[in-house]
Amino acid sequence: MVPKVYAGQEVVMEGNENCMINGNWKKRVHVLGERVRSFPTKAWHTTWKVGREDPRRVIHAFKVGLSLTLVSMLYLLEPLFKGIGQSAIWAVMTVVVVLEFTAGATLCKGLNRGLGTLLAGLLAFLVGYIANASGRVSQAIIIGAAVFFIGALFTYMRFIPYIKKNYDYGLVIFLLTFNLIAVSSYRVDNVLKIAHERVYTIAIGCAVCLLMSLLVFPNWSGEDLHNSTVYKLEGLAKSIEACVNEYFYGEIEGTGYMKLSEDPIYKGYKAVLDSKSNDETLALHASWEPRHTRYCHKFPWQQYVKVGAVLRQFGYTVVALHGCLRTEIQTPRSVRAMFKDPCIRLAAEVSKVLIELSNSIRNRRHCSPEILSDHLHEALQDLNTAIKSQPRLFLGPKHRHNQATNMLKIAAEQVGQERHGKSSLSSVKTDSSALLEWKTKRVSTEHTKESERKSLRPQLSKIAITSLEFSEALPFAAFASLLVETVAKLDLVIEEVEELGRLACFKEFIPGDEVVVTCDEPRVDVFQNHLPSHGAD
């Protein structure tokens, strides 16, 4: 039997639990209701944002819808359906898988799919013809051996780098089509009709995709690669200037936290650091595209990949420069002010060179022979002179160094004396009394050593930090060194851009041309327009 007091407490506890459960359910229902009410607004804002970032996405969506409608007519129109039959579904699947955002990607996948299907159909028909000439048992053996040999051979070929890079999708379609037709020929008499219908419908689907990609508002992979290179140069220029301006004018907090997605400096070099796979994919797709420019000469798309590699090396220096703004130890603002003018001028000149390179690529013309102007060298010399004028700031007074060294010696001598004094035992007393005293001293010595060890470490660290009087200037020394490193790496960037202009036959630079330094807002990452498509066929 439960006492009344405990029974009352149990009732109160159960009531509190019920209130908490009801409160949680009400809160969850309220949150769910808010999400349902805000869903249409969020969906509309997201849809509008995606289309406004790149209007070509809207056009591509309409192109895919129109292409699917055209190939669906093979099913919907009775005369076409009677002529093609159930194989019309292959045309629909081809459009879904092959039609990509850019013409180069569509050509790459379309030609791979078409050639893979055609060659697989011919080979399967040849194997079926040879197998039909023998007996029933021999036919099964020949087909099985052919499936094993072709499957193993072409799967191994997929590991070859060149084939994997350019024709991997075609080999997958080849294996799929060959196995489908070769195995079906054992049970179906008219295998030629199966191969003919599949090739025919896939050819229709590929033709619709190519016409839509090349003739209806085409998007070129080469143009995307060209524009992305321009935007990467401009992003690096903006990041360098923003780094220097924040270092000398902004409020730097070593322990401050800022989301990288909200940092404008990070946004400038992010596209450069993540560009390796994007550049290689765009260059591969661009190599499949026809020469659609008015000059009709072949563009060196792989040189754009080399320019991207050099820009990534340059971007790593910008990342380190950005890291100087977030270090725990910062140079005082009074010390930074001594070197503000030459650093700002040097960063402005580096940014000017990068933007001139981006303008030369955008306008497809060679760089100015005087792209490395005298102003850049003057800014370097001014920074060097400013640093040399403050030697005590970086080296520190000599007497402070000697004083710190003496303090370290005194601390070490004290530790040595304590160890020597505590290790000696009295030899006058008797063995029993000496042993007892030794045990007592040993226990007290261990406690004393532990306490002294704990107190000695912070004292020594304080002495060491105090001796580094130039530690306040070290962060600025790192910042200035990285800023000079960006100047050193400019030569590599200029060399690759000039090589790009030579291979791509850019127009010559005319001295009378006006150099307009612009830094447009970078577009959305072009690789986000490439939707991953994995054929289920």
Side-chain angles (χ1 to χ4, degrees):
M1 183 175 179
V2 181
K4 292 183 179 181
V5 176
Y6 292 105
Q9 290 179 354
E10 291 179 357
V11 172
V12 173
M13 291 176 63
E14 290 178 0
N16 292 335
E17 291 178 357
N18 292 333
C19 291
M20 292 176 62
I21 293 173
N22 293 334
N24 290 335
W25 274 107
K26 289 180 180 179
K27 185 177 180 180
R28 292 177 182 177
V29 171
H30 178 71
V31 171
L32 180 61
E34 290 293 331
R35 289 181 179 178
V36 171
R37 282 193 295 269
S38 61
F39 177 77
T41 304
K42 289 183 178 180
W44 169 250
H45 285 310
T46 303
T47 305
W48 179 260
K49 179 183 177 182
V50 170
R52 196 173 71 171
E53 284 179 349
D54 196 345
R56 298 180 301 169
R57 295 171 177 173
V58 180
I59 299 175
H60 177 68
F62 279 105
K63 287 164 62 175
V64 173
L66 181 59
S67 301
L68 289 174
T69 303
L70 291 176
V71 295
S72 298
M73 294 298 177
L74 300 176
Y75 249 94
L76 300 177
L77 297 179
E78 192 68 23
L80 296 177
F81 181 76
K82 289 181 178 179
I84 297 178
Q86 298 292 335
S87 298
I89 193 64
W90 292 109
V92 179
M93 295 177 63
T94 300
V95 170
V96 174
V97 174
V98 171
L99 188 54
E100 294 286 342
F101 184 79
T102 61
T106 303
L107 280 167
C108 180
K109 296 192 73 173
L111 295 179
N112 268 278
R113 187 177 179 86
L115 290 176
T117 303
L118 180 62
L119 295 177
L122 294 175
L123 184 59
F125 176 74
L126 180 62
V127 172
Y129 179 79
I130 296 174
N132 288 332
S134 58
R136 190 67 174 173
V137 178
S138 300
Q139 181 182 8
I141 295 175
I142 292 174
I143 292 176
V147 167
F148 171 77
F149 179 75
I150 296 297
L153 176 62
F154 280 81
T155 301
Y156 185 78
M157 289 175 61
R158 293 180 64 190
F159 292 104
I160 300 175
Y162 179 79
I163 294 178
K164 182 179 181 180
K165 180 181 179 181
N166 296 277
Y167 305 106
D168 185 72
Y169 182 70
L171 290 180
V172 172
I173 297 300
F174 179 90
L175 289 173
L176 181 65
T177 305
F178 175 79
N179 283 274
L180 179 65
I181 297 176
V183 175
S184 299
S185 65
Y186 186 75
R187 299 294 181 184
V188 180
D189 295 332
N190 195 1
V191 67
L192 182 61
K193 182 180 179 181
I194 298 176
H196 178 266
E197 290 178 350
R198 179 172 172 84
V199 172
Y200 187 56
T201 52
I202 288 179
I204 293 175
C206 288
V208 171
C209 293
L210 294 179
L211 289 175
M212 283 292 174
S213 295
L214 296 175
L215 301 180
V216 182
F217 299 103
N219 300 317
W220 305 105
S221 297
E223 290 295 327
D224 283 350
L225 179 60
H226 181 87
N227 293 331
S228 67
T229 305
V230 172
Y231 294 137
K232 284 187 290 187
L233 283 164
E234 293 178 348
L236 288 175
K238 292 174 65 177
S239 293
I240 291 175
E241 279 198 312
C243 271
V244 176
N245 290 332
E246 183 176 345
Y247 190 78
F248 290 103
Y249 294 111
E251 293 293 333
I252 299 177
E253 297 180 2
T255 58
Y257 174 77
M258 175 185 289
K259 291 183 178 179
L260 288 178
S261 59
E262 300 174 356
D263 196 338
I265 302 175
Y266 173 74
K267 290 179 180 179
Y269 62 75
K270 177 182 181 296
V272 179
L273 302 181
D274 301 338
S275 64
K276 185 176 186 297
S277 60
N278 300 357
D279 291 349
E280 292 176 353
T281 303
L282 290 174
L284 172 63
H285 293 163
S287 63
W288 287 81
E289 293 177 349
R291 302 176 188 180
H292 56 279
T293 60
R294 59 178 180 176
Y295 301 106
C296 290
H297 53 73
K298 186 177 180 181
F299 261 72
W301 303 119
Q302 290 303 320
Q303 183 62 27
Y304 280 91
V305 178
K306 294 181 180 179
V307 173
V310 173
L311 290 180
R312 281 192 297 277
Q313 294 295 328
F314 191 93
Y316 297 146
T317 306
V318 181
V319 174
L321 198 68
H322 187 201
C324 292
L325 275 62
R326 300 289 178 261
T327 55
E328 294 291 336
I329 303 174
Q330 290 292 339
T331 302
R333 187 175 295 275
S334 58
V335 177
R336 279 181 273 157
M338 301 177 186
F339 313 98
K340 179 180 68 174
D341 292 338
C343 287
I344 291 177
R345 285 169 49 206
L346 186 60
E349 293 298 327
V350 173
S351 299
K352 185 177 179 181
V353 172
L354 292 174
I355 293 178
E356 163 58 21
L357 292 174
S358 70
N359 287 333
S360 68
I361 296 177
R362 176 190 285 112
N363 300 322
R364 290 183 168 87
R365 63 165 174 79
H366 287 282
C367 306
S368 170
E370 299 178 355
I371 187 172
L372 293 177
S373 63
D374 295 335
H375 299 292
L376 180 63
H377 297 287
E378 290 175 1
L380 273 175
Q381 292 298 327
D382 291 345
L383 178 59
N384 186 36
T385 304
I387 292 176
K388 284 184 176 181
S389 64
Q390 301 292 334
R392 294 168 60 87
L393 186 64
F394 295 93
L395 299 178
K398 187 176 181 181
H399 70 277
R400 286 294 185 91
H401 176 71
N402 294 334
Q403 181 181 1
T405 305
N406 293 334
M407 293 177 70
L408 289 174
K409 287 182 179 179
I410 292 172
E413 290 176 358
Q414 289 178 353
V415 174
Q417 289 176 1
E418 290 173 356
R419 289 181 178 176
H420 179 72
K422 291 170 184 176
S423 61
S424 62
L425 297 176
S426 176
S427 59
V428 181
K429 299 181 181 180
T430 59
D431 295 339
S432 59
S433 60
L435 182 60
L436 180 60
E437 186 176 354
W438 178 79
K439 289 182 178 180
T440 306
K441 287 185 177 181
R442 183 181 179 183
V443 175
S444 61
T445 300
E446 290 178 354
H447 290 290
T448 306
K449 283 184 177 181
E450 187 67 24
S451 60
E452 288 178 352
R453 192 181 297 115
K454 292 180 179 179
S455 61
L456 184 61
R457 288 175 183 172
Q459 290 176 0
L460 291 177
S461 62
K462 287 180 180 179
I463 293 173
I465 292 175
T466 306
S467 66
L468 298 177
E469 185 177 306
F470 58 92
S471 62
E472 293 180 344
L474 282 179
F476 172 77
F479 184 84
S481 175
L482 292 170
L483 193 58
V484 174
E485 182 69 13
T486 60
V487 179
K489 289 186 176 180
L490 274 179
D491 290 334
L492 299 176
V493 179
I494 294 173
E495 288 177 4
E496 293 298 334
V497 173
E498 287 179 346
E499 180 68 13
L500 173 63
R502 186 185 67 81
L503 296 176
C505 300
F506 284 174
K507 60 184 179 181
E508 293 296 331
F509 177 81
I510 301 176
D513 290 346
E514 182 182 359
V515 179
V516 180
V517 178
T518 60
C519 191
D520 299 334
E521 184 69 20
R523 254 190 202 178
V524 67
D525 186 5
V526 294
F527 199 72
Q528 294 180 3
N529 294 326
H530 295 261
L531 302 176
S533 56
H534 306 283
D537 53 354

